[in-house]
Amino acid sequence: MIDLIITPEINALCNNKDNELNVLVQARAKDDYQFIKKRKNLNLAIVIDRSGSMSGQPLEEAKKSAIMLVEKLAQTDRISIIAYDNYSQIIVPSTLCHNKRFIIGEISRIDVGGSTNLHGGWLLGAEEVAKYKNNKSINRVLLLSDGNANGGICDPFEIFRQVDRLSETGISTSTYGLGHHFNEELMIGMANNGKGQGYYGETAEDLVDPFEEEFELLANTIATNLKLKVKIPHFVNLKSMNQLNGTYLNWSIPDLALGGEGWALFKLSIKKEFIKDKPMEVLSCKLEYKNLEGDNHSTEDHKLILEPLKPSAFSEIEMNEKVNSRVLEVTIADYQREAREAALRGEWHQVDRIIGYAKNIGDHHEWLKQNIMAIEKYAINRQAQQFTKEAYYSAEKLDKRLASYNEDAVNYNIDHEIAKPSFLRRKLERGKRMY
């Protein structure tokens, strides 16, 4: 069902010198799976922040987004609705979507309350999902907040620990930040540890895109719990380039959806004394995952074998454009994180310098060029809240996004992007609606 493809930056090794090369590992559905329309049932909890700061349009738009998601669900899907402020309340206990009018009516009646017991809301949502969890459904908590956790358990690392433990039982967590005052490190940390997605909207209206993206991703998911197992010979040093979760030689890849490929990027280093005159195996990978029925599957071992060449022959080999593009993406992501840290310290001249570096290397990649320019405007205006959130979410997406098949590595056209499924679109700003 799943193909694993290993592509080196240069399809050879160079004799008589230390070698360093980037390798792209891609996971995608096999061609004969592209036309299967079946999808997993969904078992979801939508957890809505109704604290005082959500009063007015933010809460109304949050409710509209939740209603939009409910309207897209099938009758065989399950949904529960939780609202939280100081306390958490089950608005709709987990139910099949037979009576959407009732569910929507209950969402519409959610009213504003007090402070923000984020952990309590998440936990109650998780408990509702757990009641009907099974391997043949996608079990997920969708958590929305516009602020910082200031009630119940507030320690991020304790929350991360609980979210991670829950994900190991098969219940994932996605998070939705709203505005400029929520704790992005908490929200993204929960999404990463929860094996879900992290989104944000600058305004309540901007949440429409994330909810649409989440539903389309869930509706098209074909494989979950992807684990990339890597083996290397003793003479190879390996570094993970995109910041995937996991441990050394055992990484998690985001859930795989139709039309998209998950990926990992590695840098391999080999000392010249280990390079001989015959083809050498330098990397072996296999992918373990769960299919639509919840059964465990694994690909065969895929090996990367490269032939050593003389320097003159090696210099004639062209570099792979797709690998180069992914290297550029993760490099830009690193610059965005570095610039964010400088902005948090108030070192705006350092931010300007780092953005300048990013612009220079991304100048010939239209999407990345426009992405950097979109973030730069917040730096020019010294808008710290906007800059730090957009840089953080942009970097996370660059590292972990699902890429569409045959994606143009250099050119960018907004109309082409809008025509794609929403979970494959290359947005210019993560916190803004695309259209």
Side-chain angles (χ1 to χ4, degrees), residues 180-325:
H180 302 137
H181 302 292
F182 67 91
N183 184 340
E184 65 267 28
E185 293 183 3
L186 174 62
M187 298 294 269
I188 286 181
M190 290 182 70
N192 286 342
N193 283 279
K195 298 181 176 62
Q197 305 294 317
Y199 308 96
Y200 94 104
E202 282 199 6
T203 68
E205 185 178 344
D206 292 322
L207 285 178
V208 173
D209 269 10
F211 271 93
E212 179 183 358
E213 183 176 333
E214 179 91 45
F215 176 78
E216 289 194 11
L217 178 62
L218 293 171
N220 287 279
T221 294
I222 56 170
T224 60
N225 296 84
L226 280 73
K227 305 284 187 182
L228 183 64
K229 309 284 188 176
V230 177
K231 295 179 182 177
I232 51 174
H234 69 90
F235 54 82
V236 174
N237 182 52
L238 179 145
K239 177 183 177 184
S240 174
M241 300 292 286
N242 57 329
Q243 296 189 13
L244 298 173
N245 292 337
T247 57
Y248 187 62
L249 303 183
N250 184 3
W251 285 277
S252 294
I253 292 179
D255 292 348
L256 196 59
L258 280 176
E261 63 179 35
W263 55 280
L265 186 68
F266 301 117
K267 184 181 290 294
L268 307 185
S269 301
I270 306 170
K271 294 291 186 182
K272 62 183 178 183
E273 56 263 29
F274 293 109
I275 298 177
K276 310 302 180 183
D277 293 325
K278 59 182 180 180
M280 304 171 58
E281 179 184 326
V282 297
L283 180 70
S284 174
C285 300
K286 75 172 182 178
L287 188 70
E288 298 176 355
Y289 60 93
K290 290 184 181 293
N291 68 2
L292 284 172
E293 288 71 40
D295 300 323
N296 292 318
H297 284 259
S298 176
T299 66
E300 297 179 349
D301 283 319
H302 287 64
K303 299 179 179 180
L304 177 60
I305 299 174
L306 298 176
E307 181 180 359
L309 300 176
K310 294 179 179 179
S312 57
F314 181 84
S315 64
E316 296 297 318
I317 299 178
E318 291 188 3
M319 301 180 82
N320 183 279
E321 187 178 69
K322 177 174 280 190
V323 180
N324 276 347
S325 179

Side-chain angles (χ1 to χ4, degrees), residues 415-430:
D415 292 330
H416 293 169
E417 297 300 318
I418 290 174
K420 294 178 182 178
S422 57
F423 58 88
L424 295 177
R425 293 172 187 158
R426 295 179 292 177
K427 293 178 70 173
L428 299 180
E429 288 190 70
R430 302 310 308 170

Side-chain angles (χ1 to χ4, degrees), residues 17-262:
K17 65 174 290 187
D18 294 341
N19 279 241
E20 190 172 83
L21 72 153
N22 298 300
V23 177
L24 178 65
V25 181
Q26 301 155 265
R28 59 167 65 171
K30 291 184 177 179
D31 290 341
D32 60 358
Y33 199 81
Q34 296 300 316
F35 304 102
I36 296 178
K37 299 299 183 183
K38 181 181 177 182
R39 73 161 171 88
K40 281 193 169 189
N41 289 329
L42 305 180
N43 174 23
L44 308 177
I46 301 178
V47 181
I48 299 174
D49 182 349
R50 65 172 179 191
S51 59
S53 59
M54 288 286 288
S55 179
Q57 185 181 3
L59 183 58
E60 292 306 310
E61 292 294 338
K63 292 192 291 185
K64 285 180 184 177
S65 296
I67 289 169
M68 177 190 72
L69 185 60
V70 169
E71 289 174 336
K72 292 176 179 289
L73 296 177
Q75 290 194 359
T76 52
D77 294 326
R78 281 196 165 272
I79 188 70
S80 59
I81 308 297
I82 311 296
Y84 70 94
D85 51 4
N86 309 59
Y87 304 99
S88 303
Q89 179 185 1
I90 298 175
I91 305 300
V92 178
S94 183
T95 182
L96 292 169
C97 292
H98 291 156
N99 189 348
K100 292 184 180 180
R101 180 178 296 179
F102 168 77
I103 298 169
I104 290 169
E106 293 301 295
I107 294 172
S108 299
R109 282 187 278 275
I110 296 174
D111 203 358
V112 72
S115 60
T116 310
N117 186 351
L118 182 148
H119 171 265
W122 168 80
L123 184 60
L124 192 55
E127 290 170 352
E128 286 298 300
V129 172
K131 291 177 182 177
Y132 298 96
K133 178 182 76 71
N134 66 76
N135 288 335
K136 294 187 177 182
S137 62
I138 295 177
N139 311 285
R140 182 165 294 180
V141 180
L142 311 181
L143 172 72
L144 183 147
S145 179
D146 77 330
N148 294 283
N150 56 21
I153 295 176
C154 299
D155 177 24
F157 296 103
E158 175 58 23
I159 295 175
F160 296 162
R161 185 186 70 82
Q162 293 188 23
V163 171
D164 179 66
R165 287 181 61 184
L166 188 72
S167 74
E168 293 302 319
T169 72
I171 300 176
S172 54
T173 298
S174 287
T175 60
Y176 298 75
L178 173 60
H180 302 137
H181 302 292
F182 67 91
N183 184 340
E184 65 267 28
E185 293 183 3
L186 174 62
M187 298 294 269
I188 286 181
M190 290 182 70
N192 286 342
N193 283 279
K195 298 181 176 62
Q197 305 294 317
Y199 308 96
Y200 94 104
E202 282 199 6
T203 68
E205 185 178 344
D206 292 322
L207 285 178
V208 173
D209 269 10
F211 271 93
E212 179 183 358
E213 183 176 333
E214 179 91 45
F215 176 78
E216 289 194 11
L217 178 62
L218 293 171
N220 287 279
T221 294
I222 56 170
T224 60
N225 296 84
L226 280 73
K227 305 284 187 182
L228 183 64
K229 309 284 188 176
V230 177
K231 295 179 182 177
I232 51 174
H234 69 90
F235 54 82
V236 174
N237 182 52
L238 179 145
K239 177 183 177 184
S240 174
M241 300 292 286
N242 57 329
Q243 296 189 13
L244 298 173
N245 292 337
T247 57
Y248 187 62
L249 303 183
N250 184 3
W251 285 277
S252 294
I253 292 179
D255 292 348
L256 196 59
L258 280 176
E261 63 179 35

Side-chain angles (χ1 to χ4, degrees), residues 321-332:
E321 187 178 69
K322 177 174 280 190
V323 180
N324 276 347
S325 179
R326 297 293 167 81
V327 171
L328 186 57
E329 286 184 39
V330 300
T331 303
I332 296 294

